[in-house]
């Protein structure tokens, strides 16, 4: 039972490069989320998708785009990476939007140099 | 946006000691959650609280939903080495559309 799977686990980018972080869940959850985690700041919501076909901005959406490809997959794209986007990125899913049991992936550690 | 402040930011305790941490907000939340994050992993839900004044336990962990609905508390009794990690509070507002996370409390346990 994989739960929430994120790829890659680690990535180093040069400033200005683009990349897509992939996330897939096998729990048939409706809602999916992308968070970033920075030291001393907890987890901040970047974008979320309440259900297949919908996406909404979270607290810190600038510099990111998302795609809810289907019910299972929710990707996060950095079009032109900046050093300020160095962070650990977590994908999560829940049964319905705001459901208490949000399941998290293992994270992607991204460094932008 | 909404902010959840956790204290202490970090704590170093002896094995067997009890631990207390809290989370405060300037906004009201309808649900309070406590998560634990182990090194290199994503957060895992420990306890969920749904009602002001509610006190809920999960093994050695006990959490309370503050009466004002602007705070929550987590206690860990008789700490053990595997309690090491970062503890996050999180709140859900009445709209119920997203979790707002606290800044985290890092717990380190001395043997």
């Amino acid at each position: 039972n994989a739960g929430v799977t994120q790829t890659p686990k680690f990535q180093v980018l040069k400033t200005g490069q683009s990349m897509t972080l992939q996330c897939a869940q096998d729990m048939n959850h409706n809602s999916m989320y992308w968070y970033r985690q920075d030291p001393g700041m907890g987890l901040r919501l970047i974008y979320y998708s309440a259900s297949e076909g919908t996406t909404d901005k979270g607290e810190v959406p600038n510099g990111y785009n998302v795609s809810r490809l289907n019910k299972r997959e929710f990707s996060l794209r950095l079009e032109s990476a900046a050093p300020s986007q160095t962070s650990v990125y977590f994908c999560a899913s829940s049964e319905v939007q705001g459901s208490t049991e949000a399941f998290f992936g293992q994270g992607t550690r991204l460094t932008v140099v | 946006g909404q902010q959840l402040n956790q204290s202490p930011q970090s704590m170093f305790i002896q094995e067997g000691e009890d631990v207390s941490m809290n989370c405060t907000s300037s906004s009201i939340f309808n649900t309070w959650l406590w998560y634990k994050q182990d090194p290199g992993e994503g957060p895992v839900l420990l306890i969920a609280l749904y009602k002001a004044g509610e006190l809920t336990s999960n093994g050695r962990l006990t959490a309370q939903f503050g009466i004002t609905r602007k705070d929550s508390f987590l206690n860990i009794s008789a700490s053990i080495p595997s309690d090491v990690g970062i503890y996050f509070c999180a709140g859900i507002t009445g709209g119920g559309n997203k979790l707002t996370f606290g800044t985290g409390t890092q717990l380190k346990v001395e043997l």
Side-chain angles (χ1 to χ4, degrees):
Chain A
N1 191 359
V4 179
T5 304
Q6 291 182 233
T7 55
K9 285 192 168 44
F10 302 93
Q11 183 72 49
V12 178
L13 289 178
K14 292 183 179 175
T15 298
Q17 284 186 316
S18 62
M19 81 159 293
T20 299
L21 280 64
Q22 307 286 354
C23 175
Q25 51 92 8
D26 62 2
M27 296 171 282
N28 202 34
H29 283 169
N30 290 319
S31 301
M32 298 185 74
Y33 313 83
W34 276 105
Y35 290 88
R36 61 176 288 172
Q37 183 176 24
D38 301 296
M41 301 193 74
L43 288 103
R44 292 182 293 169
L45 184 64
I46 304 170
Y47 270 93
Y48 65 102
S49 170
S51 60
E52 188 180 353
T54 69
T55 60
D56 285 287
K57 294 178 180 179
E59 187 185 347
V60 288
N62 291 345
Y64 306 96
N65 284 302
V66 290
S67 295
R68 183 75 183 266
L69 304 169
N70 47 55
K71 193 171 187 180
R72 287 188 66 246
E73 297 171 288
F74 188 39
S75 62
L76 178 72
R77 182 158 178 85
L78 286 70
E79 289 292 350
S80 179
S84 60
Q85 294 178 305
T86 294
S87 187
V88 182
Y89 292 85
F90 286 99
C91 176
S93 72
S94 65
E95 178 63 32
V96 294
Q97 194 182 2
S99 166
T100 57
E101 185 72 75
F103 292 85
F104 284 81
Q106 287 196 306
T108 295
R109 187 173 293 274
L110 176 68
T111 302
V112 183
V113 297
Chain B
Q2 295 163 329
Q3 283 235 314
L4 294 182
N5 297 308
Q6 281 186 248
S7 67
Q9 204 169 11
S10 66
M11 50 197 316
F12 221 131
I13 60 168
Q14 299 278 341
E15 184 179 4
E17 282 185 1
D18 295 344
V19 174
S20 291
M21 60 188 79
N22 67 68
C23 187
T24 59
S25 170
S26 56
S27 305
I28 287 174
F29 287 94
N30 289 344
T31 300
W32 281 95
L33 310 169
W34 285 92
Y35 282 83
K36 183 193 178 203
Q37 184 180 26
D38 290 323
E41 303 287 332
V44 174
L45 183 66
L46 298 173
I47 292 180
L49 302 157
Y50 301 103
K51 200 168 142 184
E54 181 181 350
L55 190 71
T56 297
S57 293
N58 178 6
R60 293 178 295 105
L61 277 61
T62 301
Q64 183 160 25
F65 192 140
I67 291 290
T68 65
R69 293 162 64 198
K70 292 183 178 181
D71 54 10
S72 181
F73 309 90
L74 177 69
N75 295 310
I76 305 172
S77 62
S79 57
I80 59 178
S82 62
D83 289 335
V84 163
I86 304 176
Y87 291 80
F88 289 103
C89 63
I92 303 177
T93 59
N97 59 354
K98 51 188 178 285
L99 298 180
T100 299
F101 278 86
T103 47
T105 293
Q106 180 147 30
L107 185 63
K108 300 173 187 177
V109 180
E110 286 182 334
L111 299 175

